[in-house]
Amino acid sequence: MDGWWKKNPFFVEYMVHESTALFVAAYAINLLVGLVRLGQGEMAWNGWLTAMQSPLSVVFHLAILVSIAYHTYTWFKIMPKTLPPILVGGKPVGPCVITGTGLAAAAGVSLIMLALVWRIEKRKKNSSAPTH
């Protein structure tokens, strides 16, 4: 029974998709640790922020980014198979449209979040800059 899933490409893709959930969990734990450190005070929080800037942390975050991007893609790729038929004007919506719409929505929300964080950081830097 060992490795039975390796014989069928569908099951291989399924197992890879499901294994990326481990990276999602690892990132959730990382954020939870950050929240705990924030609750422990400024020194603990600054220590966590410093740890997040280490080369190992950057590699960890890049691996998580790649796995979450793959997880997102495969999630929306599976969506047309799991949804009941969607009819628009009496015609079924194609699987590519469903997958593409989901991916576009995920990309759009990600860009909005990036813009918000960027704006907050910009304001933070401007407010802490010395005035002459």
Side-chain angles (χ1 to χ4, degrees):
M1 223 43 208
D2 187 35
W4 61 268
W5 55 272
K6 294 177 186 175
K7 295 176 181 139
N8 184 329
F10 172 79
F11 290 124
V12 171
E13 185 178 358
Y14 174 78
M15 294 300 281
V16 171
H17 167 80
E18 291 302 314
S19 68
T20 60
L22 297 173
F23 286 91
V24 175
Y27 193 67
I29 291 168
N30 181 42
L31 291 178
L32 185 59
V33 168
L35 188 60
V36 168
R37 293 295 185 213
L38 181 62
Q40 292 174 338
E42 185 177 355
M43 215 163 103
W45 171 248
N46 288 335
W48 184 79
L49 286 177
T50 300
M52 292 298 101
Q53 295 171 2
S54 75
L56 183 61
S57 179
V58 171
V59 169
F60 172 72
H61 282 81
L62 286 174
I64 286 175
L65 177 64
V66 168
S67 76
I68 288 177
Y70 179 78
H71 188 86
T72 303
Y73 168 73
T74 57
W75 176 264
F76 287 116
K77 188 176 155 190
I78 293 168
M79 189 179 281
K81 297 173 186 172
T82 60
L83 286 175
I86 299 173
L87 302 176
V88 175
K91 296 180 181 180
V93 176
C96 292
V97 173
I98 295 170
T99 299
T101 302
L103 290 171
V109 169
S110 296
L111 288 174
I112 289 168
M113 294 301 292
L114 181 62
L116 286 173
V117 169
W118 193 329
R119 186 173 179 195
I120 290 168
E121 282 299 310
K122 190 175 177 181
R123 281 186 180 178
K124 196 168 137 182
K125 286 181 183 177
N126 288 340
S127 67
S128 65
T131 56
H132 298 288

